[in-house]
Amino acid sequence: MARIFQKAIQLKSTLRYTQVSSTHRLALTNSPFTIATSHFYPSRCNTRNLTTKNAEGPKSSPPERLPFTRVTKEDLDFFRSILPGRTITDPDLLESSNVDWLKSVRGSSEVLLRPQTTAEVSQILRYCNSRNLAVNPQGGNTGLVGGSVPVYDEIILSTALMNKVLSFDHVSGIVTCQAGCVLESLSQYLEERDYIMPLDLGAKGSCHIGGNVATNAGGLRLLRYGSLRGTVLGLEVVFADGRVLDCLATLRKDNTGYDLKQLFIGSEGTLGVITAVSVLCPRKPKSVNVVFLGCGTFENLLKTFQLCRGMLGEILSAFEFLDSECMRLLNTHLKLSNPISDCPFYIVIETAGSDPNHDSEKLHNFLDEAMNAALVTDGTVATEESKIKALWSMRERVTEALTHDGFTYKYDISLPVELIYRLVLDMRQHLGDRARSVVGYGHVGDGNLHLNITSPAKDPALLAAIEPFVYEWTAQRRGSISAEHGLGLKKRNYIYYSKSSQAVTLMGDIKHMLDPKGILNPYKTLPDHLT
Ligand code: FAD
Ligand code: MLT
Ligand code: ZN
């Protein structure tokens, strides 16, 4: 690593490669849309599917309460009989489960149920279905689209006490666990056995693997290990009527008919409650390096990405970015100081491999090349765990910094990678001085932009300026209006910007087949006329 530093200095004296540590860390770690109306439906939006209520355009506000039964004393008696001491009705204890992580959605549930087993989840759902009681499945409550909390008085069914690892196969690296295992705990469990989770995200200390699967969370390692749609090998799911679907396979190959587990991955608690998961885990890498680089233009950032893919190849495990506005918020609100000189864009690159010397040489050659081509203007490299964490926090803690900047309007867009930052620039121009901050960060390797806009307080006029602009912009470029966070409560009525009316109708049919009374996570994911 020292060699990289010296060479960098020799090659371009204006570049400053800081050697953070020389100790290698052992492991761990469809045609373009035309706008159909003067407002906001893309051409494939089938307006016949829209009710009179939303015919003026999609709405993110909740619909009226559906006619579910209200919880009675007899219902509470039943829950207490099957979950003694785990039927929570104290409003103080319920508070944090009624409010989402962003503190932007608040329900008014009066019951929180904490089952420990699949059999208990089955009993709860069978009862709720028979009584027409609505249920909100909840994991770590870190969801960002208002899907994890009740909208009205839905019963909260928490997986917090379903946190046991059920089995681990040392040869195949397949872990099977209950849905309430916290991602970070699962990671620790695996690291002790020389494996890692294929998934990593800023909310790892709180989110549950069941919640990750229910949202099909992407995160920081998707570039390397792919999405949960590939690494989840099996699921156990309880249907709305209490029946248990055992698809908890631990096989890499199984073409015996439809791959039913895929229906539940990303279904956001609307089709069933995930109670157990089996995941294929990669071996713990023997060498991990993290590089924090500064870039003068987004064009150069993209060229750096191309170069990086070519030169780092199989050891590249993450390629993330944040802009200078994110850095300003990290400095201002979290007192995190920039580890390099001020630049318009910052890149976080992680390599994970099995041979420190080999990885170091590859990284060194890449950095030389990136500097010689003047693609990057400054940078620092970390190989020691604490320094790696410090560099990663510059990317992972942007979400937290934003919460201190004001009310945050969050957009999670996937686009052809060369287009992702143009949306930030166009939005800044479109909003002028109406927003406090307009920032861009995200997963470059996945073509996934996180566009966030803050204002001193909730501002309906600002929101009206952002939406539908952001969705039209995305749909016109054939992007997705939700790359990884899901639709939840907030984005459900914008689904037609990314899905055809036939696809949405089929989603409604599947929902109706699996949950005919619609008790599971009502008002979420599906547009209002199908919920
Ligand atoms: P919750 O928030 O509790 O629930 C999310 C949804 O899943 C809800 O609709 C809920 O009803 C449903 N659900 C939860 N558990 C179950 C279950 N067992 N069965 C059925 N349905 C269930 N997301 C990304 O994709 N990539 C990121 O990089 C990322 N980073 C984040 C960083 C921060 C700081 C925060 C706060 C959030 C981040 N998220 C990210 C968003 C979030 O989707 C993930 O944190 C996580 O996948 C949610 O898991 P959870 O256990 O908290 O689920
Ligand atoms: C991230 O990549 O940091 C997460 O998806 C959270 C966010 O979008 O703020
Ligand atoms: Zn993300």
Side-chain angles (χ1 to χ4, degrees):
M1 296 308 288
R3 209 153 56 92
I4 293 170
F5 175 58
Q6 283 156 10
K7 263 201 152 183
I9 294 291
Q10 284 160 13
L11 284 166
K12 203 161 168 66
S13 56
T14 52
L15 293 172
R16 179 174 54 85
Y17 264 90
T18 316
Q19 183 195 3
V20 176
S21 162
S22 59
T23 322
H24 284 285
R25 189 168 72 117
L26 270 184
L28 240 244
T29 113
N30 314 335
S31 65
F33 289 124
T34 51
I35 302 306
T37 70
S38 59
H39 34 257
F40 29 112
Y41 294 117
S43 58
R44 68 173 151 180
C45 168
N46 183 352
T47 48
R48 280 173 304 170
N49 281 345
L50 300 167
T51 59
T52 318
K53 191 177 171 201
N54 60 12
E56 286 167 6
K59 288 183 171 61
S60 57
S61 52
E64 283 169 18
R65 185 184 181 282
L66 292 169
F68 295 112
T69 310
R70 293 186 190 276
V71 176
T72 62
K73 185 187 167 305
E74 289 70 34
D75 296 326
L76 290 177
D77 288 345
F78 172 79
F79 294 134
R80 287 186 180 118
S81 73
I82 60 166
L83 302 175
R86 293 181 280 125
T87 300
I88 315 297
T89 53
D90 178 340
D92 291 341
L93 297 177
L94 269 155
E95 171 67 14
S96 62
S97 300
N98 263 316
V99 184
D100 71 330
W101 190 90
L102 289 169
K103 305 210 172 355
S104 59
V105 180
R106 178 181 292 272
S108 50
S109 177
E110 295 177 352
V111 194
L112 165 67
L113 302 177
R114 291 160 65 92
Q116 288 174 325
T117 64
T118 301
E120 288 176 351
V121 174
S122 171
Q123 272 180 292
I124 292 166
L125 290 185
R126 192 180 312 118
Y127 181 84
C128 288
N129 195 52
S130 71
R131 290 269 303 128
N132 198 33
L133 290 160
V135 177
N136 165 226
Q138 189 176 83
N141 195 9
T142 66
L144 297 172
V145 288
S148 56
V149 290
V151 175
Y152 294 101
D153 56 345
E154 299 89 273
I155 292 167
I156 304 170
L157 194 164
S158 165
T159 53
L161 300 181
M162 300 183 70
N163 55 5
K164 290 190 178 54
V165 173
L166 303 173
S167 69
F168 177 66
D169 184 325
H170 289 260
V171 178
S172 65
I174 297 168
V175 68
T176 303
C177 63
Q178 285 188 296
C181 287
V182 171
L183 180 60
E184 194 166 50
S185 311
L186 214 43
S187 298
Q188 275 158 13
Y189 173 93
L190 287 161
E191 279 162 38
E192 284 159 18
R193 289 155 181 82
D194 224 19
Y195 281 85
I196 59 168
M197 282 295 283
L199 173 79
D200 185 26
L201 51 146
K204 54 182 158 283
S206 305
C207 63
H208 297 182
I209 188 66
N212 298 147
V213 174
T215 54
N216 186 25
L220 306 164
R221 290 180 185 154
L222 189 139
L223 176 68
R224 174 69 169 272
Y225 300 116
S227 94
L228 288 169
R229 293 198 182 280
T231 51
V232 170
L233 299 181
L235 288 183
E236 178 186 73
V237 181
V238 181
F239 291 151
D241 63 4
R243 281 176 300 156
V244 180
L245 176 71
D246 180 358
C247 286
L248 203 52
T250 53
L251 302 168
R252 292 201 66 177
K253 299 180 89 172
D254 176 15
N255 280 352
T256 52
Y258 308 142
D259 188 359
L260 295 175
K261 68 174 183 291
Q262 297 294 346
L263 259 186
F264 302 94
I265 301 176
S267 65
E268 302 182 75
T270 60
L271 297 181
V273 174
I274 297 165
T275 47
V277 181
S278 66
V279 184
L280 178 66
C281 302
R283 281 301 289 267
K284 182 161 125 178
K286 289 197 170 60
S287 101
V288 174
N289 298 289
V290 170
V291 188
F292 195 82
L293 298 172
C295 235
T297 63
F298 198 73
E299 200 187 340
N300 278 348
L301 185 149
L302 291 177
K303 285 182 182 160
T304 307
F305 177 49
Q306 281 302 94
L307 184 71
C308 181
R309 286 179 92 178
M311 294 190 70
L312 295 180
E314 80 292 347
I315 65 166
L316 177 64
S317 54
F319 192 105
E320 299 280 317
F321 95 103
L322 52 140
D323 66 11
S324 56
E325 278 295 277
C326 294
M327 184 59 81
R328 182 177 63 78
L329 300 184
L330 290 167
N331 299 162
T332 310
H333 301 300
L334 304 181
K335 307 288 172 232
L336 292 178
S337 42
N338 187 350
I340 59 173
S341 57
D342 288 347
C343 300
F345 297 98
Y346 302 93
I347 307 172
V348 182
I349 297 172
E350 186 190 74
T351 65
S354 57
D355 180 341
N357 294 328
H358 166 267
D359 296 0
S360 170
E361 191 179 336
K362 278 190 130 173
L363 187 60
H364 158 108
N365 290 339
F366 157 70
L367 291 169
D368 274 0
E369 186 95 17
M371 288 184 300
N372 282 335
L375 297 179
V376 296
T377 53
D378 196 2
T380 179
V381 183
T383 54
E384 188 187 81
E385 189 162 349
S386 63
K387 303 288 171 20
I388 285 176
K389 275 193 173 148
L391 290 186
W392 261 123
S393 66
M394 303 305 295
R395 166 64 184 85
E396 289 186 311
R397 295 187 67 190
V398 174
T399 316
E400 182 189 342
L402 280 157
T403 62
H404 297 282
D405 200 51
F407 189 87
T408 309
Y409 295 97
K410 294 187 84 70
Y411 300 92
D412 165 37
I413 306 292
S414 70
L415 285 163
V417 69
E418 66 277 10
L419 293 177
I420 61 176
Y421 204 70
R422 205 190 293 169
L423 175 56
V424 180
L425 298 176
D426 284 2
M427 184 59 84
R428 274 191 196 133
Q429 192 177 29
H430 175 70
L431 294 178
D433 59 8
R434 285 181 283 185
R436 176 178 271 171
S437 308
V438 179
V439 315
Y441 56 100
H443 316 286
V444 178
D446 315 329
N448 183 181
L449 169 75
H450 293 312
L451 165 70
N452 284 239
I453 299 156
T454 65
S455 64
K458 218 170 180 173
D459 181 347
L462 176 62
L463 180 61
I466 301 169
E467 299 178 10
F469 178 86
V470 63
Y471 298 127
E472 288 177 349
W473 198 102
T474 303
Q476 281 162 0
R477 290 158 184 83
R478 300 169 58 87
S480 167
I481 63 144
S482 180
E484 59 174 9
H485 296 160
L487 296 167
L489 173 71
K490 293 183 180 177
K491 319 267 173 179
R492 71 200 190 284
N493 285 328
Y494 300 98
I495 191 170
Y496 291 104
Y497 283 100
S498 291
K499 279 226 159 40
S500 68
S501 56
Q502 290 88 347
V504 178
T505 302
L506 184 57
M507 283 172 61
D509 293 346
I510 293 168
K511 168 75 175 172
H512 187 70
M513 184 183 77
L514 294 179
D515 179 18
K517 294 185 174 177
I519 64 160
L520 282 177
N521 224 8
Y523 326 108
K524 316 285 173 59
T525 308
L526 293 156
D528 286 348
H529 65 288
L530 291 177
T531 198

